[in-house]
Amino acid sequence: MFNKVLIANRGEIAVRILRACRELGIETVAVYSEADRQALHVRYADEAYLLGPAPSSESYLRGDKIIEIAKKCGAGAIHPGYGFLAERADFAEAVIAAELEFIGPKPSAIAAMGDKAIARATVTKAGVPVVPGTEGVGNLSDEELLAIAPKISFPLLIKATAGGGGKGMREVRTLEEMPGLITSARREAKAAFGDDNVYLEKLIEGAHHIEIQILADRHGNVLHLNERECSLQRRHQKLLEESPSPFADDDLRRRMGAVAVKAAQAVDYVNAGTIEFLVDKDKNFYFLEMNTRLQVEHPVTELVTGVDIVKEQIRITRGRPLGYTQDDIHMTGAAIECRINAEDPYNGFMPSTGKISHIIMPSGPGVRVDTGVYPGFTITPYYDPMIAKLLVWGETRGQAILRMRRALEEYRIVGVRTNIPFHQTMMDSHRFMGGQYDTRFVEERFSMEAIEEGKEIHPDIAAIMATLVAHQQTQRAAHVVRRGERDTSNWKWVGRWERMHR
Amino acid sequence: MFNKVLIANRGEIAVRILRACRELGIETVAVYSEADRQALHVRYADEAYLLGPAPSSESYLRGDKIIEIAKKCGAGAIHPGYGFLAERADFAEAVIAAELEFIGPKPSAIAAMGDKAIARATVTKAGVPVVPGTEGVGNLSDEELLAIAPKISFPLLIKATAGGGGKGMREVRTLEEMPGLITSARREAKAAFGDDNVYLEKLIEGAHHIEIQILADRHGNVLHLNERECSLQRRHQKLLEESPSPFADDDLRRRMGAVAVKAAQAVDYVNAGTIEFLVDKDKNFYFLEMNTRLQVEHPVTELVTGVDIVKEQIRITRGRPLGYTQDDIHMTGAAIECRINAEDPYNGFMPSTGKISHIIMPSGPGVRVDTGVYPGFTITPYYDPMIAKLLVWGETRGQAILRMRRALEEYRIVGVRTNIPFHQTMMDSHRFMGGQYDTRFVEERFSMEAIEEGKEIHPDIAAIMATLVAHQQTQRAAHVVRRGERDTSNWKWVGRWERMHR
Amino acid sequence: MKYVTTINGHEFIIEVIDDRHVSVDGKVLEVDFESVSGEPVYSLIVDGKSHEAYIYPGEENWEVLLQGRLYPVIVEDEREKRLRAASGSGVAESGEFHLKAPMPGLIVAIPVSEGQEVEKGDVLLILESMKMQNELKSPRAGVIERIRVKPGDSVEQRQKLLSVA
Amino acid sequence: MKYVTTINGHEFIIEVIDDRHVSVDGKVLEVDFESVSGEPVYSLIVDGKSHEAYIYPGEENWEVLLQGRLYPVIVEDEREKRLRAASGSGVAESGEFHLKAPMPGLIVAIPVSEGQEVEKGDVLLILESMKMQNELKSPRAGVIERIRVKPGDSVEQRQKLLSVA
């Protein structure tokens, strides 16, 4: 049984895995790029090895080098985290070929779920509903599309086979308007992608993105840890997740859980995984995809179920049977996760880089922060902008929201802009409080400027504070001229001055 | 019903109470001394008022001023925290006289439990066992002492009535040796305190300090939240607490809980309180005292029971009945608290003051930190040296210890010395791991130098690191001389140099 | 010292009387204002209320982030204000605008060409950074003057990318 | 540069070869040594092992706090080492010792008087700070020379309290 784990990742998830290993008494090996010499995962690990230059392709994606390091330092297993090499079947294969344990599913399961058409076919065969449509069927003529449309039922979407980003996409509400829309969709697709093939997909209105966490051991036991609500997204990036879903009820939860277990069993799944579903307003649900790895938002499930998912991953890989049965899994209270990104919500969510000069982390009852940064660490443009996950647990969803509000207010990060104000605005949104949101909420019905009723604003205070800072700056500038350069006591305020203008 | 609370305290407990208020949607008022203008409780509160100069007597003990501020700003209640005015019956009385709510027990209960003789008499009448002895009986002659001694049973202690600090104290194991010991005890007491009166108290060998958390509402409901083990002390200061106690079993827990409820009822207790017991090696227990306030270590109970004690305090004061019955109270898993003090465990636990330049706070699964400090805050000599409480929860005591170990390792506090190494040594101690400790453990059988078997040490690494720092310093010093004073680029490393020598 | 401080078109006349006092539109307030541990984080206690904000210098204004809300604040002393009034208010609308890279990254696409007319809000350039594609938009209408980069270029923070005249 | 580095009586001969290499007792090691964000916290990766320590300058030594253990380390270059050997080893035992206040506080008691002989470990003074009474002890045997404070005095950090000769 292995007693040393190499963590093939960086940032908060590397730290998260490292913590689990340490709490199991397992030795840890970090790998890092040249940009990450001072990263927290390097500082916290027992051993650390340089992979190469900052770009991922020369460092965190160098599976060959990572396996070589694992062999050399005597690690018995590799945890891939999420992103980078986590869903690369060839990497998992290479790890196993090197006689190391891969902390994740079998390469065959990764491969089966990695190809969208194969995944749809596999789970359909197992009786799992997928979004009705003609994707993967082949190139259809206008006549064929018009014939199939009523079977899918309206409303539906015409989508470009080669497409993406909404180009060549049309919403169709009736059969009558369809021929004209097919023509214009084909024309747009041709112009954008040089390919005028299109397919049909049922339009899920007011859709929720809800996912089910799965755990499966090597002894044939598969169980689910209920759902996570992930509908708050922007450009397909999740921003906030919660469990339980305010939209789900016990019946939906049970039905989705059972189906998710079936989907996992269909590919002989082992270890932790997540089945993502689209759920329509009538609580019909459709398989979207399976993430064959640890998920960013796994801690919301940990907080409501008490199960340490990363520790379970390691135990499973060590060949142990699951420590729980489905009947042991209960949800207590409510958990919310806010992804804290280095990006400016007042400037189109533009990523923000630079040195973090100061942090005050929220804590106290019911608060958890998973992060890979610290004061003095520099956010580079090489990796993704998520710098922390702020999580809260509350006895009820209402208490969790109030707790998240106070935790966001406490959080201070100086040196880069963050999306904390976005989350603060979200926590004040009456629709969010009421659980009235779907996947289009952030992009279509949410604004940083809209002020919810009853929310106090303080332009006078902002005016006084800015004026006092401007005044101090003017005074100091005058001071410099008077004092001259040689006076060593200037050092002190020059330091302050410089910090202010960083 | 009040909707604004003044918090008559500072530091971590002020922040803790503030968080509870915020999560209940209650407005918060901080008070502060001149030394605390930048303290976290001032920064986090909605309102903040200056009390006076740094010494407590001129600030946090100014009950009159605090009540005046509460009246002026429209606060409806005052939370005293612990220490300062928390157990002053006259303050509680004045608060009520000013038509404000006091978040704590009735003044009569504070007074009854504040006088040791009255407290002993009161709880004895209610059938609560106290440490057998003659304290409060009056001044006894040698003959009377010798006559009573066998009834108390040996071993016992002779203690000076006027005394303290071990002066005039003698351990007695047999009746034969007693007359001589009384004489020498009287002589020493006379010399030290000018009073040669002594009394007898049963010597509790291998004693545990275990306390029971009580909650009582205004409707006559009293319940207990089980025990906390607080035997790890130094100079009567608790250093580490845990729940459940590794020494207690269900039977002892039930018996102590029932007795604690009786003791609380005996003084008509309302709000949160704690009954402290001495428990001997045969699991006999004796009432020590009741703390009629929130306790420093209350979060260990919160972590295992899920009850938010501070929120309950506020709900009780708002006149609500308890949200729980005794049957709802269960302990899940195990929790440990390490008190992080600004003191140097390698230098007689000498307090350490100065500016905290850098903090990395541990977090992740199962970790909670209650603190009132942040990077840039200065620790002054005016208040107590506790700067944070590091808490962990684990599924078992073993997992909690492993988690505490990793959390202590992650914690970085630069600028003041802390007792983190003490806690790290404790977590490695085989006796602590085995739960084999009593109130004398820290002072008599624990050493920072003793290395537990199997613990790796790294003098070679320490040697290399110190040599490299010394080498860099020499190089830099040479550099200064060469560069001369005017070169502005010196500023940068001078800053570093100064930080290094802070 | 007297300042004219503007937030979203609303003007406040603020006089800094001394270290402890300001007047806002003629009303004198006692203020306790401190920078927290040398960071651009400021604590203001006024009238018992405790406020804390991040205050960043912007190009032509101050950005005050207070309780999860961003206030763009223009602070001018009276002399500046008179000068600006004399020269016309169109500061932001006149002169050349230079689009600079807000962060290091890779130029993915430049959907405009030199001489092209653009409207306010039109996408001028797409910059990839942190695994995200970021659209840089024109802050005003104008004509594209000089494009200094091409798709595929790596750029440094603050590097000039193109100009709008 | 060659150093003689001593921990609890054990000597290491350490040569700093260049930025990336040291030799310890003749064995060459590749080291990656960095100060973390300008703080006295240092990260050392040697032979793949990642170590982190606080390193504080003491009066005559360095204090290295590594994995919850404090190592008092004396680092001398070879010249210093020879000088010390020539002058005898009693550096710490000779000369006057000045007891300084380790922190600001209030003098509670001074249980010694001028001219009194004290042993190593004897309590010289009790200083109250942070609600605690702290006993300041003599680091060596000697005679109390000059007491500069009296009970009830408030003292600043590093203020000289008394001397042992």
Side-chain angles (χ1 to χ4, degrees):
Chain A
M1 204 175 64
F2 60 87
N3 210 32
K4 191 190 270 192
V5 170
L6 183 148
I7 297 146
N9 217 304
R10 65 179 300 283
E12 68 86 19
I13 197 63
V15 171
R16 168 72 187 91
I17 297 163
L18 222 140
R19 285 173 170 155
C21 291
R22 190 139 296 170
E23 292 177 9
L24 288 169
I26 292 174
E27 285 182 84
T28 52
V29 182
V31 289
Y32 62 99
S33 74
E34 282 166 9
D36 277 341
R37 167 63 182 87
Q38 299 216 345
L40 217 47
H41 72 290
V42 176
R43 299 176 59 186
Y44 283 177
D46 295 316
E47 300 179 34
Y49 298 92
L50 181 67
L51 285 171
S56 308
S57 57
E58 299 174 59
S59 52
Y60 297 104
L61 290 171
R62 287 290 304 273
D64 53 337
K65 216 161 176 181
I66 289 169
I67 290 171
E68 190 192 314
I69 290 167
K71 292 303 284 183
K72 222 162 107 186
C73 75
I78 293 180
H79 197 306
Y82 54 68
F84 297 129
L85 299 164
E87 286 177 294
R88 291 257 301 261
D90 56 346
F91 176 68
E93 202 115 35
V95 169
I96 293 163
E99 294 182 335
L100 298 165
E101 296 278 3
F102 180 75
I103 302 179
K106 284 179 267 190
S108 59
I110 300 175
M113 286 300 187
D115 181 302
K116 210 172 173 188
I118 298 177
R120 267 174 78 97
T122 310
V123 303
T124 303
K125 218 165 64 187
V128 175
V130 299
V131 181
T134 66
E135 199 189 9
V137 173
N139 298 332
L140 300 173
S141 67
D142 288 14
E143 291 66 38
E144 288 168 319
L145 292 172
L146 288 166
I148 293 169
K151 292 178 206 159
I152 297 172
S153 91
F154 296 94
L156 51 74
L157 287 173
I158 303 171
K159 282 176 149 184
T161 306
K167 284 249 178 341
M169 192 190 289
R170 292 291 181 282
E171 235 180 85
V172 192
R173 306 227 150 236
T174 64
L175 188 60
E176 289 65 48
E177 62 174 359
M178 198 167 155
L181 290 169
I182 294 178
T183 309
S184 71
R186 285 200 195 275
R187 192 169 47 227
E188 197 171 291
K190 180 80 183 178
F193 317 111
D195 175 353
D196 67 358
N197 278 305
V198 296
Y199 67 94
L200 303 180
E201 191 176 278
K202 181 151 180 59
L203 173 64
I204 310 291
E205 291 184 296
H208 283 251
H209 178 128
I210 299 179
E211 61 190 25
I212 302 282
Q213 175 70 51
I214 290 290
L215 282 180
D217 66 20
R218 291 177 176 182
H219 307 275
N221 304 305
V222 185
L223 56 81
H224 70 86
L225 304 179
N226 295 313
E227 85 282 6
R228 290 186 290 260
E229 168 70 64
C230 310
S231 298
L232 286 181
Q233 306 184 350
R234 192 185 154 273
R235 294 167 73 181
H236 299 284
Q237 297 290 319
K238 295 170 189 166
L239 290 166
L240 183 157
E241 299 94 345
E242 56 178 320
S243 183
S245 162
F247 179 74
D249 53 30
D250 278 344
D251 175 61
L252 178 64
R253 190 165 290 136
R254 199 162 37 236
R255 287 189 293 134
M256 288 179 73
V259 165
V261 167
K262 260 198 268 179
Q265 284 167 333
V267 292
D268 229 348
Y269 201 81
V270 168
N271 216 291
T274 299
I275 320 277
E276 299 194 331
F277 293 100
L278 269 189
V279 184
D280 71 16
K281 56 188 190 316
D282 300 317
K283 299 202 162 64
N284 299 304
F285 57 90
Y286 308 97
F287 173 87
L288 263 183
E289 62 172 329
M290 178 165 192
N291 293 315
T292 55
R293 52 161 169 87
L294 185 65
Q295 202 92 330
V296 173
E297 60 271 24
H298 74 276
V300 297
T301 300
E302 296 185 324
L303 289 177
V304 289
T305 62
V307 176
D308 188 317
I309 294 172
V310 180
K311 283 188 189 167
E312 285 303 317
Q313 286 195 295
I314 295 169
R315 288 195 190 108
I316 289 166
T317 309
R318 282 178 152 187
R320 306 260 179 82
L322 287 174
Y324 308 86
T325 67
Q326 191 64 59
D327 288 342
D328 297 329
I329 304 302
H330 303 286
M331 292 207 276
T332 309
I336 304 175
E337 168 178 285
C338 289
R339 299 193 185 194
I340 309 300
N341 295 339
E343 51 188 33
D344 186 352
Y346 293 106
N347 186 15
F349 291 86
M350 185 73 71
S352 175
T353 56
K355 186 172 178 167
I356 297 179
S357 59
H358 187 73
I359 293 179
I360 298 180
M361 215 164 82
S363 187
V367 174
R368 167 175 166 184
V369 183
D370 279 21
T371 183
V373 303
Y374 60 88
F377 187 70
T378 298
I379 306 301
T380 65
Y382 299 110
Y383 313 110
D384 84 61
M386 196 181 72
I387 54 175
K389 301 184 311 203
L390 172 57
L391 291 126
V392 300
W393 177 90
E395 280 183 66
T396 61
R397 182 169 186 267
Q399 291 196 18
I401 292 173
L402 282 161
R403 183 164 278 169
M404 182 59 89
R405 215 184 261 184
R406 76 108 176 129
L408 288 164
E409 206 172 306
E410 287 178 18
Y411 215 158
R412 302 269 184 280
I413 300 176
V414 184
V416 294
R417 304 291 177 109
T418 75
N419 66 350
I420 289 173
F422 164 83
H423 290 296
Q424 288 183 287
T425 310
M426 183 61 73
M427 289 300 128
D428 286 339
S429 142
H430 290 179
R431 289 185 68 104
F432 176 75
M433 283 191 255
Q436 301 288 317
Y437 62 85
D438 58 32
T439 51
R440 291 181 164 188
F441 180 61
V442 173
E443 286 176 6
E444 296 181 5
R445 285 188 300 280
F446 178 80
S447 152
M448 290 297 291
E449 272 68 47
I451 301 159
E452 295 287 334
E453 244 176 287
K455 174 81 183 165
E456 255 187 295
I457 62 159
H458 300 288
D460 51 337
I461 299 299
I464 294 171
M465 293 181 88
T467 306
L468 286 169
V469 171
H471 178 71
Q472 287 183 355
Q473 192 187 30
T474 310
Q475 299 290 96
R476 279 198 200 107
H479 199 61
V480 188
V481 177
R482 278 203 304 278
R483 284 262 203 137
E485 284 182 284
R486 299 246 206 108
D487 187 339
T488 52
S489 66
N490 281 354
W491 289 8
K492 214 166 165 186
W493 66 255
V494 169
R496 272 195 220 122
W497 175 271
E498 284 176 345
R499 272 197 296 277
M500 243 186 65
H501 286 78
R502 233 179 238 155
Chain B
M1 205 174 65
F2 59 87
N3 209 35
K4 191 190 270 191
V5 170
L6 183 149
I7 298 144
N9 217 303
R10 64 178 301 284
E12 69 86 18
I13 198 62
V15 172
R16 167 72 187 92
I17 297 163
L18 222 139
R19 283 172 170 156
C21 291
R22 191 139 296 171
E23 292 177 7
L24 289 169
I26 291 174
E27 285 183 83
T28 51
V29 182
V31 288
Y32 61 99
S33 76
E34 282 166 9
D36 277 342
R37 167 63 181 87
Q38 300 216 346
L40 218 46
H41 72 290
V42 176
R43 298 177 60 187
Y44 283 177
D46 296 316
E47 300 178 35
Y49 297 91
L50 181 67
L51 284 171
S56 308
S57 57
E58 298 174 59
S59 52
Y60 297 104
L61 290 171
R62 287 290 304 271
D64 53 337
K65 216 162 175 179
I66 290 170
I67 292 171
E68 188 191 315
I69 290 167
K71 291 304 283 183
K72 221 161 107 185
C73 75
I78 293 180
H79 196 309
Y82 54 68
F84 296 129
L85 299 166
E87 286 177 293
R88 291 257 301 262
D90 56 346
F91 177 67
E93 202 117 33
V95 169
I96 294 164
E99 295 182 335
L100 299 165
E101 295 279 1
F102 181 74
I103 302 179
K106 284 178 266 189
S108 58
I110 300 175
M113 286 301 187
D115 182 302
K116 213 171 172 188
I118 298 177
R120 267 175 80 98
T122 310
V123 303
T124 303
K125 217 165 67 187
V128 175
V130 298
V131 181
T134 66
E135 198 188 11
V137 173
N139 298 332
L140 300 174
S141 67
D142 287 14
E143 292 66 36
E144 287 168 319
L145 292 171
L146 288 165
I148 294 170
K151 292 177 203 159
I152 297 173
S153 92
F154 295 95
L156 51 74
L157 288 173
I158 303 170
K159 281 176 152 183
T161 304
K167 285 254 180 339
M169 193 190 289
R170 292 291 181 280
E171 234 179 87
V172 192
R173 307 224 149 242
T174 62
L175 189 59
E176 289 64 49
E177 62 175 359
M178 199 168 155
L181 290 169
I182 293 177
T183 309
S184 72
R186 285 200 195 274
R187 193 168 46 230
E188 197 171 291
K190 180 82 183 174
F193 316 111
D195 175 352
D196 68 358
N197 279 306
V198 295
Y199 67 95
L200 303 180
E201 190 176 278
K202 180 152 180 57
L203 172 65
I204 310 292
E205 291 185 295
H208 283 252
H209 178 127
I210 300 180
E211 62 190 25
I212 301 282
Q213 175 70 51
I214 290 291
L215 283 181
D217 66 19
R218 292 179 175 180
H219 307 275
N221 303 304
V222 185
L223 56 80
H224 70 87
L225 304 178
N226 295 313
E227 85 281 9
R228 290 186 290 259
E229 169 68 63
C230 309
S231 298
L232 287 180
Q233 307 184 350
R234 193 184 153 273
R235 294 165 74 180
H236 300 284
Q237 297 290 319
K238 295 171 188 167
L239 290 165
L240 184 156
E241 299 94 348
E242 57 178 318
S243 182
S245 162
F247 178 73
D249 53 29
D250 277 344
D251 174 59
L252 178 64
R253 189 165 290 134
R254 202 166 29 240
R255 286 190 292 133
M256 288 180 73
V259 164
V261 167
K262 259 197 269 179
Q265 284 167 332
V267 291
D268 228 349
Y269 200 81
V270 167
N271 217 292
T274 299
I275 320 278
E276 298 194 332
F277 293 99
L278 269 190
V279 185
D280 71 17
K281 55 188 192 317
D282 300 318
K283 298 201 163 61
N284 300 304
F285 58 90
Y286 307 96
F287 173 87
L288 263 184
E289 62 172 328
M290 178 166 192
N291 293 313
T292 55
R293 52 160 168 90
L294 186 64
Q295 202 91 330
V296 174
E297 59 271 25
H298 75 276
V300 299
T301 299
E302 295 185 324
L303 289 176
V304 290
T305 62
V307 176
D308 189 317
I309 294 172
V310 181
K311 283 187 190 168
E312 285 302 318
Q313 286 195 295
I314 295 169
R315 288 195 190 107
I316 288 167
T317 309
R318 281 178 152 188
R320 305 259 178 83
L322 286 173
Y324 308 86
T325 67
Q326 192 65 58
D327 288 342
D328 297 329
I329 304 301
H330 304 287
M331 291 207 278
T332 309
I336 304 175
E337 168 177 286
C338 289
R339 299 192 185 195
I340 309 301
N341 295 340
E343 52 188 33
D344 186 352
Y346 293 105
N347 186 17
F349 291 87
M350 184 73 72
S352 176
T353 56
K355 186 174 177 167
I356 297 180
S357 59
H358 188 72
I359 293 179
I360 297 180
M361 213 164 83
S363 187
V367 174
R368 167 175 165 184
V369 183
D370 279 19
T371 182
V373 303
Y374 61 86
F377 188 70
T378 298
I379 306 300
T380 65
Y382 300 109
Y383 313 110
D384 84 62
M386 196 181 73
I387 54 175
K389 301 185 310 203
L390 172 57
L391 290 126
V392 299
W393 176 90
E395 281 182 65
T396 61
R397 183 169 185 267
Q399 291 196 20
I401 292 173
L402 282 161
R403 184 164 277 167
M404 182 58 88
R405 216 184 259 185
R406 75 108 176 131
L408 288 165
E409 207 172 305
E410 287 177 18
Y411 215 158
R412 302 268 184 281
I413 300 176
V414 184
V416 293
R417 304 292 178 108
T418 75
N419 65 349
I420 289 174
F422 164 83
H423 290 296
Q424 289 183 289
T425 310
M426 183 60 72
M427 289 300 128
D428 286 339
S429 143
H430 290 178
R431 289 185 66 106
F432 176 75
M433 283 191 257
Q436 303 287 315
Y437 63 84
D438 59 30
T439 51
R440 292 181 163 189
F441 179 60
V442 174
E443 286 175 7
E444 296 181 5
R445 286 188 299 281
F446 178 81
S447 151
M448 290 297 292
E449 273 66 47
I451 299 159
E452 295 288 333
E453 243 176 287
K455 174 80 184 166
E456 256 187 295
I457 62 158
H458 300 287
D460 51 337
I461 299 298
I464 294 172
M465 293 181 88
T467 306
L468 286 168
V469 171
H471 178 71
Q472 286 183 357
Q473 192 188 29
T474 310
Q475 299 290 97
R476 279 200 199 106
H479 199 61
V480 189
V481 175
R482 276 203 305 280
R483 284 263 203 135
E485 284 184 279
R486 298 245 209 111
D487 188 338
T488 53
S489 67
N490 282 355
W491 289 8
K492 213 165 163 184
W493 67 254
V494 170
R496 272 194 219 120
W497 174 270
E498 284 177 343
R499 271 196 296 278
M500 244 184 65
H501 286 79
R502 231 180 243 159
Chain C
M1 192 93 139
K2 227 171 193 168
Y3 297 89
V4 181
T5 299
T6 313
I7 298 184
N8 297 328
H10 184 93
E11 282 186 4
F12 296 88
I13 310 296
I14 298 181
E15 187 177 2
V16 179
I17 300 167
D18 59 33
D19 272 5
R20 283 296 202 168
H21 297 86
V22 301
S23 78
V24 179
D25 297 339
K27 192 182 157 202
V28 177
L29 298 171
E30 201 185 324
V31 294
D32 178 350
F33 184 69
E34 296 200 359
S35 133
V36 178
S37 50
E39 299 292 336
V41 174
Y42 295 84
S43 168
L44 172 71
I45 301 180
V46 53
D47 202 15
K49 302 280 182 297
S50 176
H51 302 278
E52 193 163 306
Y54 300 76
I55 304 182
Y56 305 104
E59 295 274 302
E60 281 151 7
N61 63 3
W62 296 88
E63 295 186 9
V64 179
L65 184 60
L66 176 67
Q67 286 189 4
R69 244 190 111 64
L70 190 77
Y71 299 87
V73 187
I74 298 167
V75 181
E76 294 163 300
D77 66 27
E78 285 192 305
R79 199 181 50 86
E80 285 172 346
K81 172 80 179 170
R82 275 197 303 274
L83 278 174
R84 188 164 68 94
S87 72
S89 67
V91 174
E93 303 300 321
S94 72
E96 219 174 359
F97 164 75
H98 300 286
L99 178 70
K100 292 176 197 164
M103 76 207 90
L106 187 79
I107 305 296
V108 175
I110 307 173
V112 295
S113 48
E114 286 181 13
Q116 184 180 330
E117 284 193 15
V118 292
E119 292 301 307
K120 181 178 169 179
D122 280 1
V123 174
L124 301 178
L125 195 144
I126 298 172
L127 179 70
E128 186 175 301
S129 187
M130 291 176 145
K131 293 172 54 191
M132 309 265 287
Q133 298 203 347
N134 306 287
E135 297 183 338
L136 306 186
K137 295 176 182 170
S138 183
R140 60 179 178 83
V143 176
I144 301 300
E145 282 250 305
R146 193 170 152 209
I147 301 181
R148 294 155 196 260
V149 290
K150 56 182 191 307
D153 284 2
S154 278
V155 295
E156 297 298 313
Q157 190 165 14
R158 288 186 213 290
Q159 187 175 330
K160 280 188 188 174
L161 306 174
L162 55 78
S163 312
V164 180
Chain D
M1 192 95 142
K2 229 173 194 167
Y3 297 88
V4 181
T5 299
T6 314
I7 298 186
N8 297 328
H10 183 93
E11 280 186 4
F12 297 89
I13 309 295
I14 298 181
E15 186 177 2
V16 179
I17 300 167
D18 59 32
D19 272 4
R20 284 297 203 165
H21 297 85
V22 301
S23 78
V24 179
D25 297 338
K27 193 182 156 203
V28 176
L29 297 171
E30 200 187 322
V31 294
D32 179 350
F33 185 70
E34 297 200 0
S35 132
V36 178
S37 51
E39 299 293 336
V41 174
Y42 294 84
S43 167
L44 172 71
I45 301 180
V46 54
D47 202 16
K49 302 280 184 293
S50 177
H51 301 278
E52 193 162 307
Y54 299 76
I55 304 181
Y56 305 102
E59 296 272 304
E60 280 151 8
N61 63 2
W62 295 89
E63 295 186 9
V64 179
L65 184 60
L66 176 67
Q67 286 188 5
R69 244 191 111 65
L70 190 78
Y71 299 88
V73 187
I74 298 167
V75 182
E76 294 162 301
D77 66 26
E78 285 190 303
R79 198 181 51 86
E80 284 173 345
K81 172 81 178 169
R82 275 197 303 274
L83 276 175
R84 188 162 68 94
S87 72
S89 66
V91 174
E93 304 299 321
S94 72
E96 215 174 2
F97 164 75
H98 299 287
L99 178 70
K100 292 175 196 164
M103 75 205 91
L106 187 80
I107 305 295
V108 175
I110 307 172
V112 294
S113 48
E114 287 181 12
Q116 183 180 331
E117 283 193 17
V118 293
E119 291 302 307
K120 182 178 168 178
D122 279 1
V123 175
L124 301 179
L125 193 143
I126 298 173
L127 179 70
E128 185 175 301
S129 188
M130 291 175 144
K131 291 172 51 188
M132 309 265 286
Q133 299 204 348
N134 306 286
E135 296 182 338
L136 307 186
K137 293 175 184 171
S138 183
R140 60 179 180 80
V143 177
I144 302 300
E145 282 250 304
R146 187 165 157 215
I147 302 181
R148 295 157 195 258
V149 289
K150 58 184 190 306
D153 284 1
S154 278
V155 296
E156 296 299 312
Q157 190 164 15
R158 287 185 213 294
Q159 186 175 330
K160 280 190 190 172
L161 305 175
L162 54 79
S163 312
V164 181

